[in-house]
Amino acid sequence: MTDVVDSDELLRRMHRARACAVEQERIWRTRSEELRPTDPEGSREAAVRTIAYEAVLRVLDEVLTPGRNAQ
């Protein structure tokens, strides 16, 4: 990874990463709910992935908009 990028490109990449994380969180949350009745273990794994994407979103939100979601 030797490419040098300017701050605007870095910001665009972080916004794309955030959009991807939002989509993945939605996908895994839906999968967890769908699997709950038939595959409890698969549902738990999907729930863990959902939590991981939630954490990624919290970090990216703080980087992109510091203090906006202060708790």
Side-chain angles (χ1 to χ4, degrees):
M1 193 167 191
T2 59
D3 293 345
V4 176
V5 296
D6 64 11
S7 59
D8 289 336
E9 177 60 19
L10 184 58
L11 190 58
R12 280 191 291 276
R13 290 179 185 190
M14 287 190 287
H15 279 288
R16 282 195 310 267
R18 187 187 183 288
C20 178
V22 166
E23 180 64 16
Q24 288 297 312
E25 181 207 13
R26 185 191 63 74
I27 288 168
W28 286 106
R29 183 179 309 280
T30 301
R31 184 166 175 80
S32 176
E33 291 167 2
E34 289 172 350
L35 290 174
R36 194 170 295 131
T38 59
D39 184 4
E41 184 62 32
S43 177
R44 277 190 293 279
E45 182 178 334
V48 168
R49 290 175 187 253
T50 300
I51 292 167
Y53 279 106
E54 288 171 350
V56 169
L57 282 170
R58 281 192 304 273
V59 169
L60 286 170
D61 283 344
E62 183 60 29
V63 169
L64 293 168
T65 54
R68 184 171 139 211
N69 295 323
Q71 296 176 19

